[in-house]
Amino acid sequence: MPGLNVHAFETLTDLVSQLGSEGDLPVRASNQESEVVSPSSEDGESTFNHIDLTEIKGQAASRRAIEIAAAGGHCLLLSGPPGSGKTMLARALPTILPPLTFDEAIEVTRIYSVRGLVPPGGGLIERRPFRDPHHTVSDVALIGGGQIPRPGEVSLAHNGVLFLDELPEFDRNTLEVLRQPLEEGVVHISRARSAVSFPASFMFIAAMNPCPCGQLGNPRKACRCAPAQIQKYRSRLSGPLLDRIDLQIEVPPVTVAELSDDRRIGESSRAVRERVASARRLQRERYRSAGILNNSQLAGRRLKEFGRLEPEAESLLNAAVDKFELSARVYDRLRKVARTIADLEASGPIQSHHISEALQYRTLDRKVWI
Ligand SMILES: Nc1ncnc2c1ncn2[C@@H]1O[C@H](COP(=O)(O)OP(=O)(O)OP(=O)(O)O)[C@@H](O)[C@H]1O
Ligand SMILES: [Mg+2]
Ligand SMILES: [Zn+2]
């Protein structure tokens, strides 16, 4: 931060021994321009692992889905065969979110500083965090905790993206503990004699293969899994967490011909980020007095008030709910996502084409689960 000399210590013991010594205090960040540090899961390493959308060929539908997710702050699940580009899409998400505000950057830096993850010489963290913990992550590492409570992955992802790759491989109990931060944007850690809260407001994105061999639904490769295996694999996911995911999409594999075709380069992250920023501005204005920030937070009374549907849109939504036997929760999710699609168009009430697009992002509900 300009004008400040910051002295950072790994432990209290380091501080005490430094205070008792004659030498100069080590200066971590000087009053130079603050450096930009990208927080990634490779702790301490400043790896710029974000991917610009121009690097992703084809995938029009998936690109659109991450744009909607970013615009409304929605959770997203990507399902597709190995190598179809799920990880790439997830890594592109931070690049289409608006840049961190100064206050957000301070929040992020504070959390990283508590964990001792601001690299030596690093100043204010100015890039949106992207965290992708492995499926073997423990509850404490994910949520935070320990003898002296420390922020976990959900807090390290604060103001950024938490990506869980291979979602069905995660322990079910581990996934359960995600529900509270997903709903409240903070995580409460109870200790025997005290309770600590850390900020944990992040965009949640997950990826999975459609079946154990990964090829189900791939037009070019046959799936080798027995129906019972597929059922078992997917049942690991069922339940309240899946219910909370607003957008579910299938990511088809891109052909070699598509990959080598330079005409398939789409819009850059910057162009998409501008649309996302406009849609977010609309939401901030609309919800100014409602105490929420974006469409993903609409619920109950607020969803009724702000998720107004044109009559045709309402009939379409009701017909879809009947036909696909969708739950009341899914009904609400569709309405929220449709609100975001409408905001990307700066449209007033939700129209039927917003609903029909939102319906495309419920692939797991629409399928019979073999
Ligand atoms: N649409 C695409 N445009 C450009 N490159 C792509 C695209 N899809 C995949 N690739 C290439 O394929 C590689 C694998 O993609 P990625 O790791 O994102 O796949 P994945 O779906 O996450 O696979 P897995 O299920 O194995 O984790 C990428 O590193 C990239 O080089
Ligand atoms: Mg991957
Ligand atoms: Zn299979």
Side-chain angles (χ1 to χ4, degrees):
M1 204 180 304
L4 282 186
N5 282 331
V6 179
H7 307 279
F9 297 91
E10 294 284 327
T11 62
L12 259 185
T13 322
D14 287 354
L15 169 66
V16 172
S17 66
Q18 196 43 251
L19 288 174
S21 74
E22 305 269 300
D24 285 339
L25 289 170
V27 177
R28 278 271 175 104
S30 71
N31 54 359
Q32 307 292 311
E33 281 287 290
S34 58
E35 293 194 28
V36 177
V37 180
S38 167
S40 74
S41 292
E42 283 100 77
D43 289 347
E45 248 180 73
S46 170
T47 42
F48 289 82
N49 54 7
H50 295 171
I51 283 192
D52 194 275
L53 276 183
T54 45
E55 292 174 55
I56 303 177
K57 302 261 180 70
Q59 297 292 14
S62 311
R63 292 164 63 107
R64 170 77 176 159
I66 63 167
E67 177 172 340
I68 295 168
H74 301 287
C75 303
L76 168 69
L77 174 65
L78 306 167
S79 161
S84 57
K86 303 181 293 292
T87 302
M88 276 188 108
L89 285 157
R91 287 195 187 284
L93 188 56
T95 69
I96 59 170
L97 292 168
L100 285 181
T101 63
F102 184 69
D103 288 348
E104 286 176 329
I106 300 250
E107 285 170 11
V108 173
T109 309
R110 282 179 63 187
I111 296 166
Y112 278 70
S113 158
V114 171
R115 282 284 305 261
L117 294 178
V118 179
L124 197 63
I125 293 174
E126 290 178 347
R127 281 170 70 100
R128 291 213 177 258
F130 178 90
R131 302 294 298 188
D132 55 347
H134 191 255
H135 58 75
T136 52
V137 68
S138 68
D139 290 8
V140 168
L142 187 65
I143 287 298
Q147 284 283 315
I148 303 159
R150 294 185 339 146
E153 289 292 336
V154 293
S155 298
L156 293 168
H158 179 62
N159 288 335
V161 174
L162 180 72
F163 175 48
L164 300 190
D165 209 350
E166 304 183 42
L167 190 65
E169 302 297 329
F170 281 77
D171 183 79
R172 260 184 104 142
N173 294 330
T174 307
L175 294 180
E176 283 297 297
V177 295
L178 269 182
R179 282 168 54 189
Q180 185 246 326
L182 270 175
E183 260 157 42
E184 296 177 34
V186 289
V187 57
H188 306 294
I189 297 159
S190 320
R191 312 284 317 140
R193 267 179 273 155
S194 61
V196 191
S197 299
F198 293 114
S201 171
F202 52 85
M203 276 199 57
F204 178 56
I205 176 162
M208 63 183 275
N209 290 332
C211 64
C213 87
Q215 303 303 339
L216 186 72
N218 185 348
R220 284 180 289 278
K221 266 196 191 149
C223 163
R224 293 178 273 104
C225 310
Q229 279 177 297
I230 299 172
Q231 176 80 45
K232 186 160 170 249
Y233 179 76
R234 291 197 174 180
S235 67
R236 289 194 223 160
L237 271 189
S238 64
L241 182 74
L242 200 57
D243 256 1
R244 276 168 178 75
I245 295 180
D246 290 346
L247 298 143
Q248 310 158 346
I249 56 155
E250 277 176 14
V251 183
V254 181
T255 60
V256 178
E258 284 174 315
L259 281 180
S260 54
D261 185 351
D262 279 343
R263 287 166 306 178
R264 292 195 175 263
I265 295 174
E267 277 182 306
S268 68
S269 291
R270 174 196 284 261
V272 177
R273 189 164 66 230
E274 279 168 15
R275 283 199 297 273
V276 167
S278 311
R280 287 194 162 212
R281 262 196 304 278
L282 274 180
Q283 294 166 68
R284 257 201 318 277
E285 284 293 311
R286 186 186 309 130
Y287 303 135
R288 191 169 293 255
S289 54
I292 58 171
L293 282 174
N294 57 42
N295 295 330
S296 78
Q297 296 167 322
L298 284 173
R301 175 175 51 80
R302 291 203 189 99
L303 184 60
K304 280 209 181 72
E305 181 184 346
F306 297 110
R308 217 159 39 79
L309 299 152
E310 283 202 335
E312 270 178 30
E314 185 150 19
S315 326
L316 178 63
L317 181 55
N318 292 339
V321 165
D322 280 349
K323 179 161 180 215
F324 302 123
E325 294 174 24
L326 302 174
S327 68
R329 271 222 179 99
V330 175
Y331 176 90
D332 286 355
R333 295 206 175 271
L334 284 166
R335 225 162 129 171
K336 291 197 254 185
V337 171
R339 183 61 264 164
T340 302
I341 297 170
D343 284 338
L344 279 165
E345 270 178 21
S347 160
I350 299 167
Q351 299 169 27
S352 45
H353 69 280
H354 304 137
I355 294 287
S356 49
E357 185 175 353
L359 275 167
Q360 293 170 28
Y361 307 122
R362 299 302 309 181
T363 48
L364 287 179
D365 306 318
R366 274 191 282 132
K367 285 245 177 68
V368 180
W369 284 40
I370 306 185

